[in-house]
Amino acid sequence: MSLPCRIVAGVRGAIPRPSPTRISRFGATITTREPSNQVSRHIHHQTRRQAQSAVQAQPQPEPAVPESTNPALSFPCLDAVESRSASLSRRSLSGPEPSYTSGKHLDFHSKQPLLLDWGGILAEFNIAYETWGTLNQDKSNAILLHTGLSASSHAHSTETNTKPGWWEKFIGPGKPLDTDKYHVICTNVVGGCYGSTGPSSIDPANGQRYATRFPILTMEDMVRAQFRLLDNLGIQKLYASVGSSMGGMQSLAAGTLFSDRVGRIVSISGCARSHPYSIAMRHTQRQVLMMDPNWARGFYYDGIPPHGGMKLAREIATVTYRSGPEWEQRFGRRRADPSRPPALCPDFLIETYLDHAGEKWCLEYDPNSLLYVSKAMDLFDLGQEHRTRITKVRQENSGKLQAFMDGKTLAESANADLCNLTLPEQPYEEKEQAVDEATASEAARDLLGATEPPADLVAGLKPLANTPALVMGVASDILFPAWQQREIATTLKRAGNRNVTHIELGEEMSLFGHDTFLLDLENVGGAVKRFLG
């Protein structure tokens, strides 16, 4: 109102005489008139109250907070992750980042659909591959080289891609895979991201990336796709199927699926069925990746890839790839910079090594490919019971494949929900099981490879009864422990195979753990060369 404003301005003489005030109360109208001195006191008190309220409304300075006894720690490792996200955010505006590639390679494109073990269908698919050496006239000298989880087809340098390959020292004239004798073929697996069809590929049905619409895979699915390539190349029978780690699993799968088309098998640091420890480690890697907000349930291709989750997944994997003895010699308890105070970010040399391994790799491999390919490893089991179940599932889905070829959509075909997972209503709880001492002792001996292999596994490897096999393991390997290769060798022998060569490298021969197959040219390479002849 104007009246208090005039008082605040100090123009007292300009105060008008108050007019009668009409107050409505309980339906009656009462007219009142305040004496002029009362009006003056009323205005004075009202103004003082407003002034006090104005003072109270002004922001008061907060009381000073005493400084902490210690300063806050810095986190350069997190700063680096945030900086990378910001950089990728800017780059993603011009298209999907990054581009997963391994350089120039050959391509085989199959327009015939591929029915997968768990009911998925690839309407068509691509296989990236590279070759070394010359295929002879009757095409009998071909070796199919299977890769590890994240490797590309680039096992050795070529004229069109001179970058050293992941098995560079093992392939070439006079080398373990002697290109003067053999025609070596290496593929990127289906589900990968180095040229073969995988989650980052375009779905021909809708022109969009598959992402997590890509179907669940198995090792056998990957092998069937590889043999489509061999059919296209006119190779009826392989001289040998060779692989390490996941490739060692695939090599065995190739022999069981196509026993009449594989002349020899080499399985290095692999297994005939995945075991709980390796499944648990791969599960952990998938979980840290899927918990990265940038993963976006697999649909991240036009935005920021989940590089943080990938970095952590790779660090976990690296822990399983090498061994304690090697790290003891290589790093010990040394810190990167002993002159500085300890930090929560990488501080010990082993921590900086893991950090570097994750940082270097987090944008080199498609995160969704890691999920799908690692899950395929978990599902691997050459036991007869599992093979029988999968064969039945494939038979049930044969009509689904035919319906697809007849032009029907997936939703219109039978068993369209086969790949959907429903979690149990009650969470898993450990149940006590009565185990007698004899059973416990038997289980302990089994871990040491001292007992007979399971009859189920012996039955599952029967197709390999007449296939010469080299099985190699490394004592320092914690991801695929040496007892798992002993299990393969013993099982093959019990299945009737009289030509099994089993070699186990003790820690005195190799401290490199699971990665020994990549590094030990003398022991691993020498054994392969002798076996192939």
Side-chain angles (χ1 to χ4, degrees):
M1 294 179 62
S2 59
L3 187 59
C5 292
R6 287 186 182 132
I7 295 176
V8 172
V11 191
R12 294 182 181 270
I15 298 175
R17 183 176 179 84
S19 58
T21 303
R22 303 178 65 85
I23 302 174
S24 178
R25 184 175 178 83
F26 305 116
T29 301
I30 305 173
T31 301
T32 64
R33 185 185 301 272
E34 288 187 352
S36 60
N37 59 340
Q38 291 180 346
V39 173
S40 177
R41 287 196 301 272
H42 172 77
I43 293 174
H44 174 73
H45 292 308
Q46 183 179 3
T47 305
R48 185 170 59 185
R49 286 196 298 270
Q50 289 180 345
Q52 291 173 347
S53 299
V55 172
Q56 293 173 356
Q58 293 179 357
Q60 300 297 316
E62 295 183 2
V65 178
E67 292 187 5
S68 173
T69 306
N70 305 294
L73 294 176
S74 60
F75 293 92
C77 51
L78 301 185
D79 295 339
V81 173
E82 293 170 358
S83 176
R84 186 188 289 275
S85 289
S87 174
L88 290 171
S89 178
R90 292 189 295 270
R91 293 168 63 188
S92 67
L93 297 176
S94 61
E97 292 285 348
S99 174
Y100 307 105
T101 181
S102 63
K104 292 185 178 180
H105 50 255
L106 300 171
D107 286 299
F108 161 66
H109 186 77
S110 174
K111 292 189 176 180
Q112 294 298 315
L114 181 67
L115 176 65
L116 306 179
D117 274 344
W118 285 102
I121 293 177
L122 294 180
E124 54 188 73
F125 64 91
N126 197 69
I127 292 286
Y129 71 102
E130 297 176 50
T131 67
W132 305 268
T134 304
L135 189 64
N136 60 16
Q137 187 172 1
D138 62 0
K139 300 183 178 182
S140 62
N141 68 333
I143 291 178
L144 180 59
L145 176 60
H146 306 274
T147 73
L149 186 156
S150 59
S152 70
S153 60
H154 193 61
H156 189 275
S157 54
T158 64
E159 291 183 1
T160 57
N161 186 356
T162 58
K163 180 181 177 181
W166 56 267
W167 236 28
E168 186 75 18
K169 295 180 180 180
F170 291 73
I171 302 172
K175 300 292 179 65
L177 298 189
D178 191 344
T179 51
D180 287 338
K181 296 180 179 180
Y182 311 118
H183 179 63
V184 182
I185 305 167
C186 184
T187 81
N188 178 224
V189 297
V190 166
C193 57
Y194 293 125
S196 295
T197 297
S200 61
S201 303
I202 299 298
D203 183 350
N206 59 14
Q208 299 177 353
R209 293 180 188 264
Y210 280 105
T212 45
R213 288 182 290 253
F214 199 78
I216 290 292
L217 289 166
T218 66
M219 293 288 108
E220 290 83 351
D221 292 329
M222 298 173 184
V223 169
R224 290 189 186 95
Q226 290 172 328
F227 272 73
R228 288 274 188 95
L229 166 64
L230 297 180
D231 292 340
N232 181 260
L233 296 175
I235 298 172
Q236 180 57 34
K237 185 170 183 177
L238 292 169
Y239 181 80
S241 173
V242 178
S244 305
S245 187
M246 184 183 83
M249 301 159 79
Q250 289 181 307
S251 188
L252 292 171
T256 56
L257 284 176
F258 302 98
S259 57
D260 59 335
R261 299 185 64 179
V262 178
R264 293 164 182 77
I265 283 177
V266 176
S267 180
I268 305 168
S269 297
C271 63
R273 49 180 179 154
S274 284
H275 294 270
Y277 175 79
S278 60
I279 293 174
M281 297 308 295
R282 287 188 290 268
H283 160 77
T284 306
Q285 295 170 52
R286 289 194 297 270
Q287 287 292 292
V288 297
L289 169 55
M290 293 165 66
M291 294 299 177
D292 187 323
N294 289 324
W295 181 61
R297 304 206 173 200
F299 293 87
Y300 52 79
Y301 291 107
D302 294 319
I304 304 173
H307 60 94
M310 280 293 279
K311 178 180 177 179
L312 292 174
R314 185 62 171 186
E315 290 188 35
I316 295 170
T318 304
V319 170
T320 69
Y321 293 158
R322 293 299 180 92
S323 72
E326 182 215 358
W327 282 354
E328 194 69 41
Q329 292 183 6
R330 187 173 172 188
F331 304 112
R333 288 186 42 79
R334 296 192 302 278
R335 293 176 55 219
D337 187 355
S339 66
R340 298 180 64 84
L344 296 180
C345 280
D347 180 27
F348 283 91
L349 282 182
I350 181 60
E351 293 177 312
T352 61
Y353 167 75
L354 293 174
D355 183 73
H356 175 70
E359 192 74 23
K360 182 178 65 173
W361 191 76
C362 66
L363 294 177
E364 292 184 0
Y365 193 73
D366 180 30
N368 281 338
S369 286
L370 175 61
L371 298 177
Y372 278 88
V373 177
S374 69
K375 188 65 178 182
M377 294 178 71
D378 292 353
L379 296 171
F380 185 63
D381 183 357
L382 291 179
Q384 186 60 49
E385 181 180 349
H386 179 71
R387 299 309 317 148
T388 300
R389 179 189 178 194
I390 290 298
T391 300
K392 181 180 178 181
V393 171
R394 291 187 65 84
Q395 290 173 346
E396 292 172 349
N397 283 305
S398 59
K400 177 181 173 181
L401 178 61
Q402 185 60 50
F404 176 82
M405 295 179 69
D406 292 341
K408 294 182 180 180
T409 65
L410 181 62
E412 294 172 326
S413 61
N415 300 322
D417 62 344
L418 195 61
C419 289
N420 290 334
L421 173 67
T422 302
L423 295 176
E425 294 182 1
Q426 297 295 327
Y428 172 77
E429 293 183 2
E430 190 74 33
K431 295 181 175 61
E432 292 186 6
Q433 296 180 353
V435 179
D436 57 31
E437 293 184 3
T439 304
S441 298
E442 182 181 353
R445 287 195 302 271
D446 183 51
L447 290 176
L448 298 175
T451 61
E452 289 297 306
D456 174 64
L457 196 60
V458 173
L461 292 187
K462 280 286 187 182
L464 294 173
N466 299 313
T467 307
L470 169 63
V471 182
M472 292 193 69
V474 181
S476 58
D477 189 345
I478 63 172
L479 183 60
F480 288 81
W483 67 265
Q484 295 184 13
Q485 291 82 57
R486 289 197 295 269
E487 180 180 69
I488 296 172
T490 305
T491 302
L492 288 173
K493 293 175 182 178
R494 296 298 179 269
N497 193 323
R498 298 178 180 274
N499 195 349
V500 178
T501 302
H502 175 227
I503 297 175
E504 182 175 318
L505 302 180
E507 290 188 2
E508 72 282 359
M509 300 180 70
S510 178
L511 298 178
F512 298 117
H514 187 64
D515 275 356
T516 296
F517 74 88
L518 294 171
L519 304 169
D520 195 336
L521 180 61
E522 178 182 358
N523 293 309
V524 174
V528 172
K529 185 176 183 179
R530 289 190 296 273
F531 176 76
L532 294 177

